[in-house]
Amino acid sequence: MRILVLGGDGYLGWPTALHLSDRGHEVAVADNYARRGYDHELGVDSLVPIEPMQVRLDAWREVSGKSIKSYYGDLVDGEFTEAMIADFRPDAVVHFAEQRAAPYSMIDRRHAVYTQQNNVIGNLNVLFAIQQVDPDIHLVKLGTMGEYGTPNIDIEEGWLEVTHNGRTDRMLYPKKPGSFYHLSKVHDSHNIEFACRVWGLRATDLNQGVVYGQETPQTARDARLATRFDYDAIFGTVLNRFVIQAVLGHPLTVYGTGGQTRGLIDIRDTVECIRLAAENPADRGEFRVFNQMTEKYSVGEIAKIVANGYEGPVEIEYLDNPRVEQGEHHYNVRHTGLVELGLEPHLLSNTLIESLFRVADKHKERVDVAAMRPTVNWRHAANPLRADR
Ligand code: NAD
Ligand code: USQ
Protein backbone atom coordinates (compact mmCIF):
# COMPACT_ATOMS: atom_id res chain seq x y z
CA MET A 1 0.00 0.00 0.00
CA ARG A 2 0.96 3.65 -0.33
CA ILE A 3 0.77 5.16 3.15
CA LEU A 4 1.30 8.81 4.08
CA VAL A 5 2.26 9.37 7.73
CA LEU A 6 1.39 12.89 8.90
CA GLY A 7 3.47 13.89 11.92
CA GLY A 8 6.18 11.49 10.73
CA ASP A 9 8.92 13.28 12.71
CA GLY A 10 7.18 12.69 16.07
CA TYR A 11 7.59 10.20 18.91
CA LEU A 12 5.10 7.79 17.33
CA GLY A 13 4.98 8.90 13.69
CA TRP A 14 8.64 8.11 13.01
CA PRO A 15 8.65 4.50 14.34
CA THR A 16 5.31 3.92 12.60
CA ALA A 17 6.77 5.04 9.27
CA LEU A 18 9.69 2.63 9.75
CA HIS A 19 7.40 -0.25 10.76
CA LEU A 20 5.21 0.25 7.69
CA SER A 21 8.22 0.60 5.39
CA ASP A 22 9.74 -2.56 6.90
CA ARG A 23 6.50 -4.40 6.08
CA GLY A 24 6.92 -3.48 2.42
CA HIS A 25 4.59 -0.51 2.16
CA GLU A 26 5.48 2.56 0.10
CA VAL A 27 5.73 5.23 2.81
CA ALA A 28 5.94 9.01 2.88
CA VAL A 29 6.20 11.22 5.99
CA ALA A 30 5.07 14.81 6.44
CA ASP A 31 5.85 17.25 9.23
CA ASN A 32 6.24 20.97 9.93
CA TYR A 33 8.71 20.23 12.80
CA ALA A 34 6.49 22.16 15.23
CA ARG A 35 7.36 19.60 17.93
CA ARG A 36 11.06 20.47 17.72
CA GLY A 37 9.96 24.11 18.03
CA TYR A 38 8.06 23.46 21.29
CA ASP A 39 11.33 22.10 22.72
CA HIS A 40 13.01 25.41 21.93
CA GLU A 41 10.08 27.35 23.33
CA LEU A 42 10.04 25.37 26.60
CA GLY A 43 13.82 25.02 26.88
CA VAL A 44 13.69 21.20 27.01
CA ASP A 45 14.87 18.36 24.82
CA SER A 46 14.25 14.68 24.16
CA LEU A 47 16.25 12.53 26.59
CA VAL A 48 17.48 10.42 23.68
CA PRO A 49 19.12 12.57 21.00
CA ILE A 50 17.23 12.59 17.71
CA GLU A 51 18.59 13.29 14.24
CA PRO A 52 17.24 15.71 11.64
CA MET A 53 14.78 14.12 9.21
CA GLN A 54 17.25 13.91 6.34
CA VAL A 55 19.77 11.99 8.47
CA ARG A 56 16.99 9.65 9.65
CA LEU A 57 15.89 8.94 6.08
CA ASP A 58 19.46 8.33 4.87
CA ALA A 59 20.11 5.99 7.80
CA TRP A 60 16.95 4.01 7.06
CA ARG A 61 17.95 3.67 3.39
CA GLU A 62 21.37 2.48 4.51
CA VAL A 63 20.13 -0.19 6.94
CA SER A 64 17.03 -1.38 5.07
CA GLY A 65 17.59 -0.50 1.42
CA LYS A 66 14.18 1.22 1.47
CA SER A 67 13.32 4.84 0.72
CA ILE A 68 10.79 6.99 2.52
CA LYS A 69 9.64 10.19 0.85
CA SER A 70 9.41 13.33 2.97
CA TYR A 71 7.14 16.39 2.75
CA TYR A 72 7.73 19.55 4.76
CA GLY A 73 4.66 21.68 5.48
CA ASP A 74 1.88 22.70 7.81
CA LEU A 75 -1.50 20.92 7.67
CA VAL A 76 -3.14 24.19 8.65
CA ASP A 77 -2.20 25.31 5.13
CA GLY A 78 -5.03 23.67 3.18
CA GLU A 79 -3.39 24.17 -0.24
CA PHE A 80 -0.21 22.43 0.92
CA THR A 81 -2.21 19.56 2.42
CA GLU A 82 -4.26 18.97 -0.70
CA ALA A 83 -1.25 19.28 -3.04
CA MET A 84 0.71 16.75 -0.95
CA ILE A 85 -2.11 14.20 -0.97
CA ALA A 86 -2.63 14.73 -4.71
CA ASP A 87 1.11 14.26 -5.28
CA PHE A 88 1.58 11.09 -3.19
CA ARG A 89 -1.85 9.53 -3.93
CA PRO A 90 -1.88 7.35 -0.80
CA ASP A 91 -4.22 4.43 -0.15
CA ALA A 92 -4.16 5.43 3.53
CA VAL A 93 -3.32 8.61 5.42
CA VAL A 94 -2.17 8.06 9.01
CA HIS A 95 -2.72 11.30 10.90
CA PHE A 96 -0.52 11.86 13.97
CA ALA A 97 0.24 15.52 13.27
CA GLU A 98 -1.26 17.43 16.18
CA GLN A 99 -0.14 19.31 19.29
CA ARG A 100 -0.54 16.45 21.74
CA ALA A 101 0.31 17.62 25.25
CA ALA A 102 -2.59 18.32 27.61
CA PRO A 103 -0.48 20.61 29.87
CA TYR A 104 0.74 22.61 26.83
CA SER A 105 -2.88 23.32 25.89
CA MET A 106 -3.61 24.50 29.44
CA ILE A 107 -0.72 27.00 29.80
CA ASP A 108 -2.71 30.04 28.79
CA ARG A 109 -5.14 31.39 26.19
CA ARG A 110 -2.52 31.50 23.46
CA HIS A 111 -1.56 27.85 23.87
CA ALA A 112 -5.18 26.69 24.10
CA VAL A 113 -6.09 28.60 20.94
CA TYR A 114 -3.00 27.37 19.12
CA THR A 115 -3.75 23.75 20.06
CA GLN A 116 -7.33 23.83 18.89
CA GLN A 117 -6.54 25.78 15.70
CA ASN A 118 -3.63 23.57 14.80
CA ASN A 119 -5.45 20.32 15.50
CA VAL A 120 -8.99 21.05 14.37
CA ILE A 121 -8.12 23.04 11.24
CA GLY A 122 -5.30 20.68 10.25
CA ASN A 123 -7.65 17.70 10.52
CA LEU A 124 -10.38 19.54 8.62
CA ASN A 125 -7.91 20.28 5.82
CA VAL A 126 -6.99 16.58 5.68
CA LEU A 127 -10.68 15.66 5.37
CA PHE A 128 -11.22 18.17 2.56
CA ALA A 129 -8.06 17.06 0.76
CA ILE A 130 -9.17 13.42 0.83
CA GLN A 131 -12.63 14.34 -0.38
CA GLN A 132 -11.18 16.41 -3.24
CA VAL A 133 -8.36 14.09 -4.31
CA ASP A 134 -9.92 10.66 -3.83
CA PRO A 135 -12.69 9.87 -1.32
CA ASP A 136 -11.58 6.25 -1.34
CA ILE A 137 -8.43 7.11 0.69
CA HIS A 138 -8.67 5.62 4.17
CA LEU A 139 -8.02 8.07 7.01
CA VAL A 140 -6.41 6.49 10.07
CA LYS A 141 -6.63 9.19 12.72
CA LEU A 142 -5.03 9.24 16.15
CA GLY A 143 -7.58 10.14 18.77
CA THR A 144 -7.19 9.57 22.48
CA MET A 145 -8.79 7.60 25.31
CA GLY A 146 -9.01 10.93 27.11
CA GLU A 147 -11.86 11.92 24.79
CA TYR A 148 -14.15 9.79 26.94
CA GLY A 149 -12.82 11.03 30.26
CA THR A 150 -13.81 8.84 33.20
CA PRO A 151 -17.60 8.34 33.02
CA ASN A 152 -19.36 6.23 35.61
CA ILE A 153 -20.45 3.71 32.94
CA ASP A 154 -18.42 1.24 30.83
CA ILE A 155 -16.59 2.80 27.86
CA GLU A 156 -17.49 1.29 24.47
CA GLU A 157 -15.56 1.60 21.20
CA GLY A 158 -16.77 4.97 19.98
CA TRP A 159 -20.47 4.24 19.76
CA LEU A 160 -23.20 3.66 22.32
CA GLU A 161 -26.67 2.21 21.84
CA VAL A 162 -29.00 4.49 23.75
CA THR A 163 -32.64 3.85 24.65
CA HIS A 164 -34.46 7.01 25.69
CA ASN A 165 -38.20 7.35 26.28
CA GLY A 166 -38.73 3.98 24.64
CA ARG A 167 -36.76 4.73 21.45
CA THR A 168 -33.29 3.40 20.58
CA ASP A 169 -30.45 4.83 18.48
CA ARG A 170 -26.71 4.25 17.94
CA MET A 171 -25.01 7.46 19.04
CA LEU A 172 -21.44 8.64 19.28
CA TYR A 173 -20.30 7.79 22.80
CA PRO A 174 -20.69 10.91 25.00
CA LYS A 175 -17.40 12.68 25.70
CA LYS A 176 -16.09 14.31 28.87
CA PRO A 177 -12.48 15.25 28.09
CA GLY A 178 -10.02 16.72 30.58
CA SER A 179 -8.11 19.46 28.73
CA PHE A 180 -8.34 21.80 25.74
CA TYR A 181 -6.03 19.36 23.95
CA HIS A 182 -8.31 16.39 24.63
CA LEU A 183 -11.25 18.57 23.52
CA SER A 184 -9.52 19.18 20.18
CA LYS A 185 -9.61 15.41 19.60
CA VAL A 186 -13.33 15.34 20.38
CA HIS A 187 -13.91 18.07 17.81
CA ASP A 188 -11.83 16.09 15.29
CA SER A 189 -13.86 12.94 15.92
CA HIS A 190 -17.10 14.80 15.25
CA ASN A 191 -15.74 16.33 12.05
CA ILE A 192 -14.54 12.94 10.82
CA GLU A 193 -17.82 11.19 11.62
CA PHE A 194 -19.65 13.95 9.74
CA ALA A 195 -17.35 13.57 6.70
CA CYS A 196 -17.98 9.80 6.66
CA ARG A 197 -21.73 10.26 6.98
CA VAL A 198 -22.05 13.07 4.44
CA TRP A 199 -19.24 12.49 1.91
CA GLY A 200 -18.96 8.73 2.32
CA LEU A 201 -15.31 8.88 3.43
CA ARG A 202 -13.78 5.89 5.21
CA ALA A 203 -12.08 6.53 8.53
CA THR A 204 -10.68 4.77 11.58
CA ASP A 205 -10.43 6.83 14.76
CA LEU A 206 -7.91 5.26 17.12
CA ASN A 207 -8.57 6.32 20.69
CA GLN A 208 -5.16 5.63 22.04
CA GLY A 209 -4.16 5.39 25.69
CA VAL A 210 -0.94 6.72 27.21
CA VAL A 211 2.04 5.30 25.30
CA TYR A 212 5.21 4.03 27.00
CA GLY A 213 8.50 2.72 25.66
CA GLN A 214 11.17 4.10 23.40
CA GLU A 215 12.38 1.40 21.04
CA THR A 216 10.86 -0.64 18.26
CA PRO A 217 12.72 -3.35 16.32
CA GLN A 218 13.27 -0.84 13.51
CA THR A 219 14.46 2.16 15.55
CA ALA A 220 16.87 -0.13 17.43
CA ARG A 221 18.74 -0.94 14.22
CA ASP A 222 20.83 2.24 14.28
CA ALA A 223 21.27 5.07 16.82
CA ARG A 224 20.37 7.55 14.06
CA LEU A 225 16.90 5.97 13.86
CA ALA A 226 16.02 6.66 17.52
CA THR A 227 12.71 8.28 18.29
CA ARG A 228 12.25 10.99 20.89
CA PHE A 229 11.83 10.28 24.62
CA ASP A 230 10.23 13.11 26.54
CA TYR A 231 10.48 13.46 30.31
CA ASP A 232 9.57 17.08 31.04
CA ALA A 233 6.34 17.89 32.89
CA ILE A 234 4.63 19.16 29.73
CA PHE A 235 5.42 16.54 27.08
CA GLY A 236 6.66 13.60 29.18
CA THR A 237 4.01 10.93 29.71
CA VAL A 238 3.57 9.26 33.04
CA LEU A 239 5.35 5.90 32.77
CA ASN A 240 8.25 7.26 30.75
CA ARG A 241 8.65 10.07 33.30
CA PHE A 242 8.59 7.70 36.27
CA VAL A 243 11.30 5.51 34.70
CA ILE A 244 13.59 8.50 34.18
CA GLN A 245 12.83 9.87 37.66
CA ALA A 246 13.75 6.51 39.21
CA VAL A 247 17.08 6.44 37.38
CA LEU A 248 17.89 10.01 38.44
CA GLY A 249 16.99 9.38 42.08
CA HIS A 250 14.22 11.99 41.72
CA PRO A 251 10.98 11.17 43.61
CA LEU A 252 8.24 9.79 41.35
CA THR A 253 5.77 12.66 40.92
CA VAL A 254 2.33 11.14 41.52
CA TYR A 255 -0.35 13.80 41.06
CA GLY A 256 -3.04 13.67 43.76
CA THR A 257 -3.72 10.32 45.39
CA GLY A 258 -2.63 8.35 42.32
CA GLY A 259 -6.06 6.68 42.15
CA GLN A 260 -6.72 8.01 38.62
CA THR A 261 -6.70 5.13 36.13
CA ARG A 262 -5.61 5.29 32.49
CA GLY A 263 -5.34 2.96 29.52
CA LEU A 264 -1.76 2.24 28.48
CA ILE A 265 -0.04 0.83 25.42
CA ASP A 266 3.51 -0.19 24.49
CA ILE A 267 5.01 1.78 21.57
CA ARG A 268 5.60 -1.53 19.72
CA ASP A 269 1.86 -2.15 19.84
CA THR A 270 1.09 1.39 18.66
CA VAL A 271 2.95 0.86 15.40
CA GLU A 272 1.36 -2.56 14.92
CA CYS A 273 -2.15 -1.19 15.54
CA ILE A 274 -1.58 1.38 12.81
CA ARG A 275 -0.46 -1.34 10.38
CA LEU A 276 -3.51 -3.46 11.22
CA ALA A 277 -5.89 -0.52 10.79
CA ALA A 278 -4.29 0.53 7.49
CA GLU A 279 -4.24 -2.97 6.01
CA ASN A 280 -7.87 -3.60 7.03
CA PRO A 281 -9.60 -0.38 5.97
CA ALA A 282 -12.97 0.85 7.16
CA ASP A 283 -15.80 0.62 4.62
CA ARG A 284 -16.87 3.62 2.56
CA GLY A 285 -19.05 5.82 4.77
CA GLU A 286 -17.90 4.02 7.92
CA PHE A 287 -16.61 5.92 10.95
CA ARG A 288 -14.87 3.05 12.73
CA VAL A 289 -13.53 3.56 16.25
CA PHE A 290 -11.06 1.38 18.13
CA ASN A 291 -9.84 1.90 21.67
CA GLN A 292 -6.09 1.56 21.21
CA MET A 293 -4.96 0.47 24.67
CA THR A 294 -3.95 -2.91 26.01
CA GLU A 295 -4.02 -2.54 29.80
CA LYS A 296 -5.24 -0.19 32.50
CA TYR A 297 -3.36 0.92 35.59
CA SER A 298 -3.83 3.60 38.18
CA VAL A 299 -1.04 6.17 38.40
CA GLY A 300 -0.24 4.87 41.90
CA GLU A 301 0.13 1.33 40.51
CA ILE A 302 2.43 2.57 37.73
CA ALA A 303 4.61 4.29 40.34
CA LYS A 304 4.82 1.09 42.38
CA ILE A 305 5.65 -1.07 39.34
CA VAL A 306 8.47 1.29 38.38
CA ALA A 307 9.74 1.61 41.97
CA ASN A 308 9.72 -2.17 42.49
CA GLY A 309 11.43 -2.78 39.14
CA TYR A 310 14.38 -0.47 39.87
CA GLU A 311 17.46 -1.84 41.58
CA GLY A 312 18.12 1.30 43.64
CA PRO A 313 15.96 3.09 46.22
CA VAL A 314 12.95 4.98 44.84
CA GLU A 315 10.83 7.54 46.66
CA ILE A 316 7.22 8.26 45.67
CA GLU A 317 6.02 11.82 46.20
CA TYR A 318 2.29 12.65 46.21
CA LEU A 319 1.93 16.19 44.84
CA ASP A 320 -1.19 18.37 44.94
CA ASN A 321 -2.75 17.51 41.60
CA PRO A 322 -2.13 20.40 39.18
CA ARG A 323 -4.87 18.96 36.96
CA VAL A 324 -8.61 18.76 37.51
CA GLU A 325 -9.40 15.06 37.23
CA GLN A 326 -11.22 12.41 39.25
CA GLY A 327 -9.02 10.70 41.80
CA GLU A 328 -11.15 7.59 42.25
CA HIS A 329 -13.50 6.40 39.53
CA HIS A 330 -14.99 3.54 37.50
CA TYR A 331 -12.88 2.60 34.44
CA ASN A 332 -13.97 -0.37 32.41
CA VAL A 333 -13.08 -0.08 28.74
CA ARG A 334 -13.92 -2.30 25.78
CA HIS A 335 -10.83 -2.69 23.57
CA THR A 336 -11.42 -5.77 21.48
CA GLY A 337 -11.52 -4.33 17.93
CA LEU A 338 -7.77 -4.29 17.31
CA VAL A 339 -7.29 -7.70 18.94
CA GLU A 340 -9.93 -9.04 16.52
CA LEU A 341 -7.81 -7.64 13.67
CA GLY A 342 -4.82 -9.62 15.00
CA LEU A 343 -3.07 -7.47 17.63
CA GLU A 344 -1.01 -9.55 20.08
CA PRO A 345 -0.30 -7.08 22.88
CA HIS A 346 3.02 -6.66 24.64
CA LEU A 347 1.89 -6.35 28.23
CA LEU A 348 3.87 -4.25 30.68
CA SER A 349 6.73 -6.42 31.90
CA ASN A 350 9.90 -6.20 33.93
CA THR A 351 11.94 -6.78 30.78
CA LEU A 352 10.47 -3.72 29.13
CA ILE A 353 10.95 -1.58 32.23
CA GLU A 354 14.54 -2.82 32.57
CA SER A 355 15.27 -1.87 28.98
CA LEU A 356 13.78 1.57 29.63
CA PHE A 357 15.96 1.95 32.72
CA ARG A 358 18.97 1.20 30.49
CA VAL A 359 17.94 3.84 27.92
CA ALA A 360 17.37 6.39 30.68
CA ASP A 361 20.65 5.57 32.38
CA LYS A 362 22.62 5.94 29.15
CA HIS A 363 21.38 9.49 28.60
CA LYS A 364 20.79 10.71 32.16
CA GLU A 365 23.45 13.44 31.86
CA ARG A 366 21.13 15.20 29.40
CA VAL A 367 18.31 15.66 31.94
CA ASP A 368 17.35 19.10 33.16
CA VAL A 369 15.91 18.21 36.58
CA ALA A 370 14.08 21.54 36.83
CA ALA A 371 11.91 20.51 33.86
CA MET A 372 10.54 17.60 35.91
CA ARG A 373 8.29 19.69 38.19
CA PRO A 374 4.75 20.44 36.95
CA THR A 375 4.20 24.16 36.34
CA VAL A 376 0.90 24.25 34.48
CA ASN A 377 -2.15 24.59 36.71
CA TRP A 378 -5.55 23.57 35.33
CA ARG A 379 -7.34 25.90 37.75
CA HIS A 380 -5.41 29.05 36.79
CA ALA A 381 -4.40 29.79 33.25
CA ALA A 382 -1.22 31.84 33.16
CA ASN A 383 -1.60 35.45 32.11
CA PRO A 384 1.59 36.77 30.54
CA LEU A 385 0.35 40.34 31.10
CA ARG A 386 -0.06 39.89 34.85
CA ALA A 387 2.91 39.09 37.05
CA ASP A 388 0.77 37.63 39.87
CA ARG A 389 -0.44 34.60 37.90
P1 NAD B 1 4.61 14.26 18.77
O1 NAD B 1 4.35 15.65 19.20
O2 NAD B 1 5.90 13.63 19.12
O3 NAD B 1 4.39 14.14 17.19
C1 NAD B 1 3.46 14.89 16.47
C2 NAD B 1 4.14 15.40 15.20
O4 NAD B 1 3.20 16.16 14.43
C3 NAD B 1 5.33 16.32 15.51
O5 NAD B 1 6.47 15.88 14.84
C4 NAD B 1 4.86 17.69 15.03
O6 NAD B 1 5.91 18.49 14.54
C5 NAD B 1 3.85 17.33 13.95
N1 NAD B 1 2.82 18.36 13.74
C6 NAD B 1 2.05 18.96 14.69
N2 NAD B 1 1.24 19.86 14.12
C7 NAD B 1 1.49 19.82 12.77
C8 NAD B 1 0.95 20.52 11.65
N3 NAD B 1 0.03 21.46 11.80
N4 NAD B 1 1.43 20.21 10.42
C9 NAD B 1 2.39 19.27 10.26
N5 NAD B 1 2.94 18.59 11.28
C10 NAD B 1 2.48 18.86 12.53
O7 NAD B 1 3.38 13.38 19.33
P2 NAD B 1 3.24 11.80 19.49
O8 NAD B 1 3.45 11.46 20.90
O9 NAD B 1 4.01 11.13 18.43
O10 NAD B 1 1.69 11.65 19.20
C11 NAD B 1 1.22 11.47 17.89
C12 NAD B 1 -0.30 11.44 17.88
O11 NAD B 1 -0.76 10.39 18.72
C13 NAD B 1 -0.93 12.72 18.40
O12 NAD B 1 -2.04 13.05 17.60
C14 NAD B 1 -1.37 12.36 19.80
O13 NAD B 1 -2.48 13.11 20.16
C15 NAD B 1 -1.69 10.89 19.67
N6 NAD B 1 -1.49 10.18 20.95
C16 NAD B 1 -0.27 10.16 21.57
C17 NAD B 1 -0.12 9.48 22.78
C18 NAD B 1 1.19 9.45 23.53
O14 NAD B 1 1.22 8.93 24.66
N7 NAD B 1 2.28 9.95 22.97
C19 NAD B 1 -1.23 8.82 23.33
C20 NAD B 1 -2.45 8.86 22.67
C21 NAD B 1 -2.58 9.55 21.49
N1 USQ C 1 0.58 12.05 35.98
C1 USQ C 1 1.14 11.99 37.24
N2 USQ C 1 2.44 12.38 37.36
C2 USQ C 1 3.20 12.79 36.31
C3 USQ C 1 2.62 12.83 35.04
C4 USQ C 1 1.30 12.46 34.90
O1 USQ C 1 0.50 11.61 38.22
O2 USQ C 1 4.37 13.11 36.52
C5 USQ C 1 -0.83 11.61 35.80
C6 USQ C 1 -1.74 12.68 35.23
O3 USQ C 1 -2.29 13.47 36.26
C7 USQ C 1 -2.77 11.83 34.51
C8 USQ C 1 -2.00 10.60 34.07
O4 USQ C 1 -0.81 10.57 34.87
O5 USQ C 1 -3.77 11.41 35.39
C9 USQ C 1 -1.61 10.60 32.61
O6 USQ C 1 -0.89 11.78 32.32
P1 USQ C 1 0.10 11.85 31.06
O7 USQ C 1 0.76 13.19 31.08
O8 USQ C 1 0.94 10.63 31.01
O9 USQ C 1 -0.93 11.69 29.87
P2 USQ C 1 -2.02 12.67 29.28
O10 USQ C 1 -1.91 14.05 29.75
O11 USQ C 1 -3.36 12.03 29.43
O12 USQ C 1 -1.60 12.69 27.74
C10 USQ C 1 -0.92 11.62 27.11
C11 USQ C 1 -0.42 12.12 25.77
C12 USQ C 1 -1.61 12.50 24.91
C13 USQ C 1 -2.58 11.35 24.82
C14 USQ C 1 -2.97 10.83 26.18
C15 USQ C 1 -3.74 9.53 26.14
O13 USQ C 1 0.44 13.23 25.96
O14 USQ C 1 -1.17 12.87 23.61
O15 USQ C 1 -3.73 11.76 24.13
O16 USQ C 1 -1.78 10.52 26.93
S1 USQ C 1 -5.06 9.48 27.31
O17 USQ C 1 -4.49 9.74 28.63
O18 USQ C 1 -5.64 8.17 27.23
O19 USQ C 1 -5.99 10.51 26.93
Side-chain angles (χ1 to χ4, degrees):
M1 293 174 72
R2 295 177 68 77
I3 306 181
L4 174 61
V5 180
L6 308 176
D9 188 50
Y11 169 52
L12 303 176
W14 174 242
T16 300
L18 297 186
H19 183 63
L20 296 172
S21 172
D22 206 27
R23 287 305 190 104
H25 296 296
E26 198 61 48
V27 177
V29 290
D31 213 290
N32 66 349
Y33 306 105
R35 177 69 192 85
R36 294 183 189 238
Y38 312 144
D39 276 350
H40 291 299
E41 175 195 350
L42 301 169
V44 296
D45 205 352
S46 161
L47 179 71
V48 176
I50 54 168
E51 297 291 348
M53 180 53 83
Q54 201 49 55
V55 177
R56 288 177 150 184
L57 297 175
D58 291 344
W60 180 241
R61 199 175 307 110
E62 231 175 275
V63 304
S64 73
K66 295 182 168 125
S67 293
I68 293 178
K69 187 168 181 173
S70 166
Y71 293 91
Y72 165 56
D74 188 338
L75 297 183
V76 172
D77 175 350
E79 275 78 42
F80 160 75
T81 304
E82 187 178 325
M84 170 176 61
I85 290 180
D87 182 63
F88 190 64
R89 293 302 292 238
D91 300 299
V93 171
V94 179
H95 180 12
F96 286 103
E98 301 204 328
Q99 190 301 99
R100 69 106 173 124
Y104 189 89
S105 76
M106 299 298 291
I107 295 175
D108 59 11
R109 180 190 58 78
R110 192 167 62 80
H111 289 83
V113 170
Y114 165 77
T115 300
Q116 294 213 350
Q117 270 182 348
N118 185 63
N119 296 1
V120 178
I121 296 174
N123 181 62
L124 208 46
N125 285 338
V126 172
L127 291 172
F128 269 90
I130 291 176
Q131 195 257 348
Q132 293 288 312
V133 174
D134 179 2
D136 217 29
I137 296 170
H138 177 209
L139 173 64
V140 178
K141 167 70 169 52
L142 269 291
T144 174
M145 281 305 298
E147 289 186 40
Y148 302 111
T150 52
N152 196 30
I153 56 172
D154 292 353
I155 296 176
E156 303 298 325
E157 293 199 279
W159 294 89
L160 184 66
E161 197 170 284
V162 179
T163 301
H164 180 62
N165 290 347
R167 302 183 67 83
T168 299
D169 202 353
R170 183 172 175 260
M171 322 277 285
L172 283 180
Y173 193 98
K175 306 290 173 66
K176 218 198 258 183
S179 72
F180 287 118
Y181 151 71
H182 287 98
L183 271 156
S184 74
K185 296 284 190 184
V186 175
H187 305 327
D188 288 346
S189 294
H190 283 116
N191 285 339
I192 300 169
E193 189 273 335
F194 179 75
C196 292
R197 184 156 40 91
V198 172
W199 293 335
L201 299 195
R202 51 171 99 232
T204 303
D205 204 11
L206 296 170
N207 286 331
Q208 183 167 242
V210 184
V211 182
Y212 60 85
Q214 198 269 332
E215 275 184 352
T216 63
Q218 293 79 30
T219 63
R221 285 167 74 175
D222 188 299
R224 291 168 297 167
L225 297 174
T227 195
R228 49 181 316 124
F229 198 38
D230 298 309
Y231 65 90
D232 62 279
I234 295 200
F235 276 91
T237 49
V238 63
L239 195 146
N240 290 350
R241 264 167 73 72
F242 286 176
V243 162
I244 295 165
Q245 290 169 343
V247 169
L248 287 177
H250 187 287
L252 310 193
T253 52
V254 171
Y255 299 163
T257 60
Q260 64 275 46
T261 299
R262 294 292 179 268
L264 273 86
I265 183 166
D266 185 307
I267 190 169
R268 294 169 295 176
D269 290 339
T270 293
V271 301
E272 180 62 359
C273 288
I274 304 294
R275 181 185 74 79
L276 289 167
E279 291 180 3
N280 300 279
D283 292 332
R284 282 297 297 269
E286 183 187 9
F287 175 67
R288 181 174 66 168
V289 184
F290 294 134
N291 292 337
Q292 187 165 310
M293 56 173 272
T294 57
E295 289 177 280
K296 62 172 180 178
Y297 286 105
S298 73
V299 167
E301 284 167 337
I302 298 170
K304 288 194 181 109
I305 292 169
V306 171
N308 293 337
Y310 192 61
E311 56 192 22
V314 178
E315 193 191 323
I316 300 180
E317 186 182 359
Y318 294 85
L319 302 176
D320 283 345
N321 197 334
R323 306 188 185 194
V324 176
E325 56 189 2
Q326 281 182 287
E328 305 291 333
H329 55 87
H330 178 74
Y331 200 67
N332 188 29
V333 181
R334 180 188 296 278
H335 50 96
T336 49
L338 286 157
V339 173
E340 281 159 18
L341 285 186
L343 177 69
E344 292 172 23
H346 292 88
L347 299 181
L348 187 56
S349 68
N350 286 341
T351 343
L352 183 269
I353 297 198
E354 276 160 26
S355 78
L356 280 179
F357 285 139
R358 268 199 303 280
V359 172
D361 191 60
K362 186 166 169 205
H363 300 285
K364 65 179 180 203
E365 308 311 327
R366 289 168 53 87
V367 171
D368 172 6
V369 179
M372 209 65 96
R373 310 302 293 182
T375 50
V376 179
N377 189 324
W378 259 234
R379 295 165 184 85
H380 283 287
N383 184 339
L385 302 178
R386 281 177 49 188
D388 59 325
R389 302 190 74 182

